[in-house]
Amino acid sequence: MITMETPTKHQELLKWVQDIEKLCQPERIVWIDGSQQEKKRLENEAVSIGELIELNQDKHPGSFYHRSHPNDVARTESLTYICTKTKEDAGPTNNWMSPEEAYFKARKIFTGCMKGRTLYVIPFSMGPVGSKFSRIGIEITDSIYVVLNMRIMTRIGNDVLKVLGDHGEFTKCLHSKADLDIKKRLILHFPEDNTIWSVGSGYGGNALLGKKCLALRIAGYLGKTEGWMAEHMLILGIENPKGEVRYITAAFPSACGKTNLAMLIPPQGLKAKGYKVWTVGDDIAWLRIHPDGSLRAINPEAGFFGVVPGTNSNTNPNAVTTISRNTIFTNVALKSDNTVWWEGSDEPAPEKALDWSGDDWHPGIIDEQDNPIKAAHPNSRFTAPASQCPCISPKWEDPEGVPISAVLFGGRRARVAPLVYETFGWNHGVYVGATVGSERTAAQEGKVGEIRRDPMAMIPFCGYNMGDYFRHWIEMGKRTPRPPKIFHVNWFRTDEKGKFLWPGFGENLRVLEWVLERCEGKVSAVKTPVGHVPKKEEFDMTGLDLPGSALDQLLSVVPADWKEDLADQEAFFKKFGSKFPEEIWEEFRGMKKRLG
Ligand code: O2Y
Ligand code: MN
């Protein structure tokens, strides 16, 4: 075993690394220091062992390409467990395993899994190093790809160890690719031990343990215990024509366009009025009550791990600039000049390329069932530093966080939910957040039109019983002297022919303008049974021509549709039994009464 000098005197950390070394039996241990020299060294090594391909440095400076194992291309929710002492503590929406069984099963897979490999120790901070919002994690991994991704997605190295000191608290994050066998894959969370064990996957949310595992599942549990919140939310600053910046957070289920909204470009009419948009974060928000009574948010991440297909200069020009350098592309197509391509990019399809699995690809190619073969995997990703985003907020690393004026919830609803409505208050807002859901499309398993509930977009990411999570939301509202207003938005309403009624993308700023004006009491609204809906004439539509009655349809509230929805809500809420807060049932009953 080759060891280097350890850069810390933290006894608990050193003992843990020793224990893991005994378990995984690596050939050498490398402590990650976060330096530029180290970055270069790791990149060279990753290229030499085939983990990364260096991209054409004229076209993609500082950027690399990676292909993951074909069985390892997305988070595996079915193999993700919350390992609390009792099943009830994990709740009805999580897979549960007892800590004893989970450690036992995973220990067998981890035993000797790093033979001949390097064990990297990555000290990382979620949130600006040293901020009172921030938490420290130490990820042990045998994947150089994970190290290089964590370098972008979090703050890593000696600065973090300095803040950790000799006795600081940290989340123990153990990861190994092992042999990438899906039958030996487990993503285990031990909230009561502040520990994560992930084995058998090298991809995304399964392996970059700072992201979904720590910053949502473990942090959510810590936040409930300590009085703060970890949410699946983007954070956006909106500068109005007077130069005042107001911040919103928004929670949408995965694949509802959070990154696009977080990097929104104002449409011409609103730009001319003087609006600007500032990105603080695109995926996760940590929220705390500030001494001034506001709810403040930070983005605990330092980079974006965004979906590549569909990213282009129309859908998200800021993302296009963000990923123009120092980016790791995973599972997109590779052209012969070592540039990358994906479906929905600015470039036309190449005549030939290697697809995401490394096979020859050309436009029109089909598989044995006559289905078109995609060049880039639909879940292919870019990993890029947040600092490269042209509209990154000057406050994105503010250790005090940014004050939140409005919280938005939304799903994909073809029917029922209007474009936007304001809730009647915090508890009503929590009720609305608890009802978030998307209708199944023909592309998904199950009955088309059926609603998949995803409260606060947290179903896959809540590290404890979701009934307790709802209770925590209610308590946070009681404790926050100046809580944000809560709204619901729906960019996905369709007409009778199934055509989207709202153009989305930059035009969404029109909705956000109304939201912020409501927060400041500057515009009136129509009171409906579900909440306050904009008056058509108070909605700035300069420069946007919607056909005929589209705006009326978008803003309409049809009680009969909502009554149908209530039945589904009730069945969903009942899953949480006695854990479900009475305050939310009260809001449910209020809604029922208002609908008549
Ligand atoms: O498939 C993965 O591992 C990534 S999933 C993901 C990545 C970035 C942001 N959000 C998500 C998500 O599933 O919500
Ligand atoms: Mn997400």
Side-chain angles (χ1 to χ4, degrees):
M1 231 279 307
I2 305 160
T3 18
M4 58 197 260
E5 211 182 303
T6 53
T8 176
K9 294 195 173 67
H10 195 298
Q11 290 308 306
E12 189 192 342
L13 170 55
L14 291 171
K15 163 87 174 54
W16 177 61
V17 173
Q18 249 174 28
D19 290 347
I20 299 305
E21 181 204 332
K22 265 192 217 132
L23 178 66
C24 300
Q25 302 160 32
E27 190 171 309
R28 69 179 71 79
I29 295 183
V30 170
W31 287 75
I32 293 299
D33 64 23
S35 66
Q36 281 305 314
Q37 300 91 293
E38 176 187 75
K39 174 174 183 277
K40 269 263 140 279
R41 203 180 64 236
L42 292 171
E43 284 168 354
N44 289 341
E45 190 178 334
V47 169
S48 74
I49 60 174
E51 276 283 296
L52 290 183
I53 292 173
E54 187 174 37
L55 287 174
N56 182 321
Q57 292 299 297
D58 293 331
K59 305 242 172 79
H60 301 289
S63 299
F64 293 86
Y65 177 75
H66 173 80
R67 275 191 203 105
S68 69
H69 190 283
N71 80 16
D72 188 27
V73 291
R75 289 185 290 104
T76 37
E77 284 177 24
S78 60
L79 302 173
T80 300
Y81 289 83
I82 302 299
C83 309
T84 41
K85 284 194 194 94
T86 70
K87 188 170 187 332
E88 200 196 6
D89 287 342
T93 58
N94 281 311
N95 299 317
W96 175 79
M97 212 188 286
S98 75
E100 296 72 34
E101 185 184 352
Y103 282 128
F104 179 78
K105 278 195 170 155
R107 195 170 274 283
K108 277 213 280 199
I109 310 173
F110 275 116
T111 300
C113 69
M114 295 189 191
K115 276 184 189 154
R117 297 185 185 172
T118 302
L119 178 159
Y120 299 97
V121 186
I122 318 170
F124 66 96
S125 174
M126 298 311 293
V129 178
S131 157
K132 64 173 175 290
F133 276 84
S134 302
R135 306 299 297 215
I136 289 175
I138 309 285
E139 178 158 354
I140 289 182
T141 180
D142 55 5
S143 163
I144 199 165
Y145 168 78
V146 165
V147 179
L148 288 164
N149 273 269
M150 286 291 284
R151 233 198 114 84
I152 298 174
M153 294 304 295
T154 73
R155 288 100 173 155
I156 64 168
N158 288 345
D159 295 352
V160 179
L161 283 183
K162 214 186 271 169
V163 171
L164 184 67
D166 293 349
H167 304 285
E169 220 184 289
F170 65 96
T171 305
K172 297 184 176 87
C173 307
L174 171 60
H175 168 254
S176 171
K177 298 179 286 184
D179 47 13
L180 294 174
D181 178 351
I182 197 157
K183 292 196 214 82
K184 289 194 262 162
R185 182 174 301 163
L186 287 168
I187 322 297
L188 306 170
H189 304 75
F190 304 88
E192 292 143 351
D193 298 346
N194 199 1
T195 293
I196 302 160
W197 278 21
S198 163
V199 67
S201 163
Y203 190 75
N206 290 342
L208 311 178
L209 300 187
K211 194 172 177 60
K212 304 297 189 180
C213 299
L214 195 165
L216 287 174
R217 300 192 189 102
I218 295 290
Y221 174 86
L222 295 172
K224 182 197 62 144
T225 321
E226 298 167 3
W228 54 281
M229 301 166 99
E231 296 297 328
H232 190 202
M233 289 175 169
L234 65 88
I235 313 169
L236 187 62
I238 296 157
E239 184 172 332
N240 67 20
K242 284 195 258 164
E244 301 157 338
V245 185
R246 303 281 181 257
Y247 297 90
I248 62 158
T249 60
F252 307 134
S254 306
C256 279
K258 288 219 315 282
T259 303
N260 288 348
L261 186 66
M263 297 183 187
L264 177 153
I265 300 232
Q268 204 43 49
L270 293 184
K271 201 169 170 182
K273 252 164 106 175
Y275 273 96
K276 283 191 196 133
V277 166
W278 301 102
T279 307
V280 180
D282 78 329
D283 195 39
I284 299 176
W286 284 359
L287 299 131
R288 273 179 187 270
I289 304 165
H290 193 265
D292 71 7
S294 65
L295 197 60
R296 298 265 178 141
I298 65 151
N299 167 13
E301 302 189 277
F304 304 122
F305 187 63
V307 174
V308 183
T311 303
N312 62 51
S313 308
N314 285 320
T315 57
N316 195 338
N318 284 318
V320 170
T321 307
T322 306
I323 63 177
S324 62
R325 60 204 155 94
N326 306 322
T327 295
I328 300 173
F329 291 92
T330 302
N331 292 345
V332 293
L334 184 65
K335 298 201 285 185
S336 52
D337 61 351
N338 270 14
T339 61
V340 287
W341 186 83
W342 53 85
E343 281 76 10
S345 90
D346 282 322
E347 307 288 324
E351 272 173 30
K352 62 184 176 65
L354 294 178
D355 70 12
W356 66 272
S357 57
D359 293 333
D360 285 332
W361 182 92
H362 59 82
I365 185 171
I366 49 172
D367 66 14
E368 282 135 25
Q369 282 84 44
D370 285 353
N371 296 314
I373 296 178
K374 294 221 188 296
H377 189 278
N379 194 34
S380 52
R381 296 274 165 173
F382 56 75
T383 321
S387 58
Q388 290 183 186
C389 177
C391 58
I392 196 73
S393 163
K395 297 236 178 218
W396 85 280
E397 297 197 277
D398 191 326
E400 293 291 308
V402 294
I404 301 302
S405 301
V407 169
L408 269 50
F409 291 120
R412 271 178 183 267
R413 301 297 303 261
R415 305 161 50 237
V416 188
L419 179 61
V420 57
Y421 62 95
E422 178 194 338
T423 63
F424 296 124
W426 184 269
N427 284 3
H428 182 231
V430 176
Y431 155 72
V432 168
T435 67
V436 164
S438 297
E439 282 144 25
R440 275 180 217 275
T441 63
Q444 290 162 329
E445 272 178 65
K447 206 172 130 207
V448 174
E450 189 181 69
I451 298 155
R452 292 160 74 200
R453 299 283 167 193
D454 187 359
M456 285 81 170
M458 281 290 282
I459 281 271
F461 307 120
C462 187
Y464 59 102
N465 190 312
M466 210 156 204
D468 293 328
Y469 168 82
F470 295 136
R471 160 65 44 213
H472 185 46
W473 263 87
I474 298 285
E475 296 306 320
M476 285 295 291
K478 284 188 199 153
R479 290 183 38 227
T480 310
R482 294 193 294 116
K485 280 182 182 283
I486 303 180
F487 295 78
H488 187 277
V489 296
N490 177 24
W491 318 130
F492 302 98
R493 201 156 174 174
T494 58
D495 65 14
E496 323 62 55
K497 291 191 190 122
K499 198 167 164 268
F500 287 123
L501 286 160
W502 182 249
F505 298 103
E507 305 297 344
N508 293 339
L509 186 57
R510 298 175 196 277
V511 174
L512 304 184
E513 180 186 39
W514 182 83
V515 162
L516 290 177
E517 292 196 333
R518 279 299 289 173
C519 291
E520 296 188 358
K522 288 190 184 148
V523 281
S524 56
V526 183
K527 188 171 179 197
T528 76
V530 305
H532 288 109
V533 174
K535 281 185 179 158
K536 217 169 69 168
E537 56 282 5
E538 295 207 77
F539 220 71
D540 187 343
M541 297 291 280
T542 322
L544 174 61
D545 249 345
L546 285 190
S549 62
L551 195 54
D552 293 301
Q553 285 183 66
L554 278 162
L555 297 177
S556 68
V557 172
V558 183
D561 290 349
W562 279 96
K563 281 188 203 169
E564 236 177 77
D565 206 69
L566 281 188
D568 187 79
Q569 290 176 14
E570 186 168 12
F572 180 70
F573 291 169
K574 280 186 174 161
K575 272 189 174 184
F576 302 96
S578 61
K579 292 257 185 203
F580 198 72
E582 181 50 31
E583 289 90 333
I584 310 186
W585 277 127
E586 219 169 275
E587 294 298 333
F588 173 82
R589 287 191 293 268
M591 170 88 164
K592 209 167 178 180
K593 204 162 152 201
R594 289 192 298 276
L595 286 168

